[in-house]
Amino acid sequence: MSRVFSSGYTAVTVFTALAAVFGAASPAQASDPAASDLAAWQRTGQPDRLLVIRPGMVDLVRHGVLESRRISGAGAVPLSWLVTNTGSEWIDRHGDDLSVVQIRAAVLLSPGSGLRIGAVTKKVLFTTGDSTASATWIRGSRATLDIRDTTLAATGPSGGTMVRPYISMGSGGRLDITDSTISGFGLTGRASSRFSGVTWGKGSAGSAVGARFEGNRTGLRLEGSTGVRLNNVTVEHSLQDGVVLSGDTGTSVAGLTSRSSGRNGVVVGGTANRTLSGITTQDSSGIGIRATPQNGLVLNGIQSRSDRGGGIRLQSCAECTITGAAVQGTQVAVAVTGPGSRAVVKAPRLTGSRTGISLDEDIESATVTGGTVSGFQRGIAISGPKATVTGTRIENGLTGISLNGKARHAVVHDVRIDDCRTGMTAGSTTTDVSLTGVRVTNASGKGLTSASPGLRVTDGHVSGASTAIDLAAPALLDKVTVTGAHRGIHLTPGVRATGTALDVLAERKGIEADRGAVIDITDSRIRAPLALGGAGRILSHGRTVVTLPPFPWLGGAAILALLTAIALQTVHQVRHRHTPRPQVPRHVRNTA
């Protein structure tokens, strides 16, 4: 195996450098540095050309053979130094200066080494290959890579079987990207996720500040990294996920935007008790933020715009919290799903089309507090057990809250539903549903429709519906007020219900019970032109009052005044019908 060294360096110098690299290596290894290069070449996929950067030296390895060595001196190696000391087959310059260069070899950073890209080299092109052997990349562990004030981009044929470049930092290494753009990176096909674009691997650290990642396979990936800082980072047009945070610890995020991803905007998982804030996703083909199974995730102030697969999705997320999320223009704004999910959604601001908040059948529990949900076909869809909704406003939709599936022990408290076709629905498979302080206004259809056995409604208020309350299963109504509805309460055949302290003011029918239905009302007031009707039984107890609705005295007075004015004007015209019209004297010429 040939070994060619740069002239001017003694064997002692070379041996000393090797000792620094290999530590306690055997004398045979120390005397044969090519063996180490061969091992590195085999370990990294046998690239055609490989630059091995070691402390104080750079090895040029072609097809596994050490072709030449350059002594670089102490400290991190500038890319500009590599350009002038390796040759155009390895790194080529475009033009007379070093502002644009093209890397034609794979670059391996060995432990203790470092590489600096930027300042002089303003644009660095990485050659795509027709195989993994001809591809270009930068990899390292226990090394440093500093990319600053520059642009890194893939160049050459694309698509098909072409292999794109990538950057991956491994255990003990540090990767810092500052005020730079990286585009077109990441292997496609069945390649390992660690080569998906720009990756901070297990045990690595570093930062991305003021950085842009455009058109990569995955914009950036943190795979078991430690203490990486993401500040003012933009990821666009990723072929797959925009950002992947998996098993990383100590990550800080301040201003992370992921746009137009081929899959999800941001994927989060593998780490317990993490808090993320300052994340914006937009126009993802998948979900804006997708959380895989984990514990203790806190998402603060997340913004999602027009992510086609949904805004935020928690999958089997235990003790997870979403606070102050703003999601708009998507099918499902917030979804909680998967076995073991226990989630809290606080003060959301959601607008969209299909479902505002979806709580799936297989969850363990969920709580929604405060916030506004607007413009959805279903504002909040509850299919799972132990769901609580408190203090939320739902508006301008088809159905405000839908309870169905395996919804058990659901509690809805102090919720306002405005301008929806139907305020609330509760399906026949739901049980132990309790509504307290729920207010439904301006429903164009029904205020509340329930087939849920044992429904309990307390301190409710329904106004402006065609039917305020439509019961198809036994229910208990306590201190419920109905105003402005065509029909107050309707019971389908065979239903039995109980009402206490009801106050029903309806435009046509107060309570209507179909054949076989029975309702017991106590200490209630029912006012309607047809207060009690239907073929069923309506039983009154206590101080129940059944009357016509109050006469609109103010309106009647106004009508009476109008009729009086018309009558007086008519009398006046009749009395003066024979009075001659006044004549203008002939000498008067100006009659204007």
Side-chain angles (χ1 to χ4, degrees):
M1 193 173 293
S2 62
R3 298 184 294 276
V4 182
F5 295 92
S6 299
S7 60
Y9 296 94
T10 65
V12 175
T13 303
V14 174
F15 185 85
T16 302
L18 288 172
V21 174
F22 296 109
S26 68
Q29 288 177 315
S31 62
D32 188 5
S36 177
D37 289 328
L38 177 61
W41 175 76
Q42 292 174 333
R43 188 174 64 250
T44 57
Q46 302 181 1
D48 293 344
R49 289 183 291 271
L50 176 64
L51 290 173
V52 182
I53 301 178
R54 306 181 185 281
M57 65 186 71
V58 178
D59 288 350
L60 284 63
V61 179
R62 189 189 299 270
H63 299 296
V65 178
L66 175 60
E67 180 176 286
S68 182
R69 168 165 293 167
R70 304 288 187 263
I71 303 302
S72 60
V77 177
L79 181 61
S80 58
W81 184 91
L82 288 178
V83 176
T84 58
N85 286 274
T86 57
S88 60
E89 283 188 280
W90 304 83
I91 303 178
D92 191 15
R93 69 176 73 190
H94 288 206
D96 296 331
D97 59 12
L98 298 175
S99 59
V100 180
V101 301
Q102 183 170 345
I103 294 179
R104 301 180 182 276
V107 180
L108 178 63
L109 305 178
S110 64
S113 67
L115 175 63
R116 297 199 313 270
I117 301 177
V120 177
T121 51
K122 293 298 183 182
K123 187 170 186 179
V124 182
L125 304 175
F126 285 70
T127 307
T128 59
D130 55 10
S131 66
T132 55
S134 61
T136 57
W137 43 259
I138 300 178
R139 292 167 58 176
S141 60
R142 299 195 301 277
T144 62
L145 174 58
D146 187 81
I147 302 171
R148 188 178 300 269
D149 300 318
T150 189
T151 296
L152 277 59
T155 185
S158 60
T161 60
M162 300 309 297
V163 181
R164 308 200 314 173
Y166 63 87
I167 294 174
S168 180
M169 182 58 68
S171 177
R174 183 175 183 89
L175 169 60
D176 291 291
I177 303 172
T178 306
D179 297 329
S180 298
T181 298
I182 299 178
S183 63
F185 276 43
L187 299 182
T188 56
R190 294 177 295 174
S192 170
S193 62
R194 65 179 293 200
F195 307 137
S196 60
V198 179
T199 302
W200 282 261
K202 185 176 181 180
S204 66
S207 64
V209 179
R212 300 181 68 87
F213 302 85
E214 300 177 351
N216 299 329
R217 178 190 177 194
T218 297
L220 62 90
R221 178 184 293 269
L222 275 60
E223 192 84 33
S225 60
T226 302
V228 174
R229 180 168 63 100
L230 304 178
N231 188 0
N232 192 24
V233 171
T234 300
V235 179
E236 293 184 303
H237 305 293
S238 301
L239 301 182
Q240 298 183 1
D241 298 323
V243 179
V244 175
L245 307 178
S246 177
D248 54 307
T249 58
T251 302
S252 67
V253 178
L256 172 61
T257 300
S258 178
R259 290 194 286 258
S260 303
S261 299
R263 290 184 181 174
N264 306 301
V266 178
V267 178
V268 182
T271 300
N273 303 317
R274 84 154 87 215
T275 299
L276 295 173
S277 60
I279 297 178
T280 299
T281 63
Q282 183 175 350
D283 296 323
S284 303
S285 295
I287 300 165
I289 294 186
R290 177 174 172 264
T292 59
Q294 59 193 286
N295 298 331
L297 173 66
V298 177
L299 299 175
N300 289 329
I302 302 300
Q303 297 188 45
S304 167
R305 305 188 188 101
S306 303
D307 293 308
R308 291 185 286 280
I312 302 171
R313 183 181 180 88
L314 305 182
Q315 174 76 37
S316 295
C317 200
E319 312 302 336
C320 296
T321 303
I322 302 171
T323 301
V327 182
Q328 62 184 22
T330 188
Q331 294 291 317
V332 181
V334 176
V336 181
T337 184
S341 289
R342 298 186 300 277
V344 177
V345 181
K346 297 180 180 179
R349 303 186 307 280
L350 313 177
T351 58
S353 59
R354 196 174 75 194
T355 304
I357 299 175
S358 175
L359 309 178
D360 286 354
E361 288 188 356
D362 52 359
I363 68 171
E364 187 171 319
S365 65
T367 299
V368 180
T369 62
T372 303
V373 179
S374 178
F376 292 92
Q377 294 178 22
R378 296 185 301 172
I380 300 177
I382 302 173
S383 301
K386 298 180 181 179
T388 300
V389 183
T390 303
T392 303
R393 180 173 180 176
I394 305 166
E395 59 189 14
N396 301 321
L398 294 183
T399 300
I401 297 178
S402 170
L403 294 105
N404 52 76
K406 298 179 181 179
R408 302 184 302 273
H409 308 292
V411 176
V412 181
H413 174 69
D414 195 24
V415 169
R416 177 162 182 161
I417 303 173
D418 297 330
D419 302 308
C420 293
R421 179 181 297 177
T422 301
M424 290 189 62
T425 64
S428 60
T429 59
T430 65
T431 57
D432 297 315
V433 176
S434 175
L435 313 180
T436 305
V438 175
R439 185 181 184 91
V440 179
T441 62
N442 298 326
S444 59
K446 297 179 180 180
L448 166 64
T449 175
S450 171
S452 178
L455 172 74
R456 299 182 303 279
V457 183
T458 305
D459 292 326
H461 189 170
V462 181
S463 65
S466 59
T467 298
I469 300 174
D470 194 2
L471 298 177
L476 173 63
L477 310 178
D478 183 30
K479 300 186 181 78
V480 175
T481 300
V482 174
T483 59
H486 291 286
R487 180 170 59 176
I489 300 173
H490 173 238
L491 285 76
T492 59
V495 172
R496 177 141 197 166
T498 300
T500 304
L502 305 181
D503 189 354
V504 177
L505 174 60
E507 296 174 357
R508 295 180 61 188
K509 298 179 181 180
I511 299 178
E512 182 178 14
D514 291 344
R515 186 176 302 277
V518 180
I519 182 170
D520 287 274
I521 56 176
T522 303
D523 298 334
S524 300
R525 182 170 61 165
I526 312 299
R527 295 172 291 169
L530 181 58
L532 306 177
R537 291 191 298 161
I538 303 173
L539 308 177
S540 301
H541 307 281
R543 293 173 293 178
T544 297
V545 177
V546 178
T547 66
L548 291 172
F551 186 79
W553 293 108
L554 184 61
I559 293 174
L560 179 61
L562 179 61
L563 294 175
T564 301
I566 293 172
L568 291 175
Q569 179 64 22
T570 302
V571 171
H572 174 76
Q573 290 179 347
V574 169
R575 291 181 61 187
H576 293 277
R577 65 183 182 275
H578 298 300
T579 302
R581 295 180 62 186
Q583 299 293 323
V584 179
R586 293 183 178 180
H587 66 274
V588 177
R589 295 183 179 276
N590 184 4
T591 61

